[in-house]
């Protein structure tokens, strides 16, 4: 089921541990004699969709933004403006939901994925149009914050807006 993908293997093992199906004790690993539960964990590998479907729309949107902000360039004050509703209170509720569900962690003024291995899967689950839209918002926010133009250019390139990326780099030089 993991097809040799180390990220999927790690996520599967983490799921087994979280569900108390895989235990380490006395220097040995043991797996629970619960075939139905192990099978359910295997089925969860088919993608993140079942887990992300349990998130509110606001939490899912914030999770997508965090996944695309791989270098944690944005801080907590930036996230409301990156979300379609633009409301700080809704962003904080979504953030609490993600923290409570162990999707993300707070690191000083930044939000990071609790498991870096999830980033690739989360991005894969987004349509290209969605990725472009969110990268475009990240680029615009980087500009509004006066961040170094390289960040703006990076996001515009990922949004498949090369001319905007070039303009940002021309301001940089």
């Amino acid at each position: 089921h993991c097809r040799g993908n180390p990220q999927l293997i790690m996520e599967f093992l983490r799921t087994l541990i979280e569900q108390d199906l895989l235990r380490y004790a006395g220097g040995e690993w043991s797996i629970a004699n619960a075939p139905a539960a192990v099978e359910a964990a295997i089925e969860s590998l088919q993608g993140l969709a079942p887990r992300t479907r349990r998130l509110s729309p606001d939490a899912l949107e914030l999770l997508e933004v965090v996944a695309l902000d791989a270098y944690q360039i944005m801080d907590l004050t930036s996230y409301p403006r990156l979300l379609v509703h633009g409301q700080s209170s809704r962003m904080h509720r979504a953030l609490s939901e993600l923290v409570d569900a162990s999707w993300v962690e707070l690191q000083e003024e930044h939000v990071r994925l609790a498991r870096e291995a999830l980033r690739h899967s989360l991005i894969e689950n987004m349509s290209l149009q969605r990725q472009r839209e969110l990268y475009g918002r990240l680029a615009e926010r980087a500009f509004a914050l006066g961040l170094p133009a390289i960040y703006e250019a990076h996001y515009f390139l990922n949004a498949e807006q090369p001319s905007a990326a070039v303009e940002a780099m021309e301001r940089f030089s």
Side-chain angles (χ1 to χ4, degrees), residues 43-162:
E43 287 175 11
S44 75
L45 282 177
Q46 303 308 317
L48 294 176
R51 289 180 62 200
T52 57
R53 276 196 290 268
R54 292 192 293 259
L55 295 173
S56 68
D58 288 349
L60 179 58
E61 183 178 30
L62 179 57
L63 183 62
E64 291 172 338
V65 169
V66 169
L68 295 177
D69 186 24
Y71 303 109
Q72 300 172 24
I73 295 164
M74 300 296 156
D75 64 14
L76 284 174
T77 62
S78 299
Y79 287 115
R81 292 183 182 98
L82 291 165
L83 305 178
V84 74
H85 54 72
Q87 298 175 9
S88 182
S89 60
R90 285 178 63 180
M91 185 281 298
H92 280 90
R93 276 193 300 276
L95 180 58
S96 292
E97 181 181 344
L98 293 173
V99 169
D100 290 347
S102 300
W103 281 100
V104 300
E105 297 172 342
L106 293 175
Q107 189 175 36
E108 296 178 19
E109 293 296 312
H110 298 273
V111 179
R112 69 179 187 90
L113 291 175
R115 297 181 197 120
E116 187 59 34
L118 291 175
R119 184 175 316 282
H120 180 72
S121 298
L122 287 166
I123 294 171
E124 262 187 5
N125 281 345
M126 279 184 255
S127 71
L128 288 177
Q129 179 180 347
R130 180 68 172 158
Q131 290 176 43
R132 289 182 199 121
E133 173 191 348
L134 294 177
Y135 275 126
R137 287 187 207 167
L138 285 161
E140 291 167 6
R141 189 68 190 138
F143 174 76
L145 291 170
L147 296 175
I150 192 75
Y151 296 121
E152 182 185 352
H154 166 76
Y155 289 133
F156 273 133
L157 284 173
N158 282 300
E160 296 188 11
Q161 297 179 36

Side-chain angles (χ1 to χ4, degrees), residues 13-23 32 37-38 40-41 44:
L13 292 173
R14 187 179 308 275
T15 299
L16 290 177
I17 292 167
E18 287 173 354
Q19 294 177 6
D20 204 30
L21 296 170
L22 182 64
R23 297 178 198 95
V38 172
S44 75

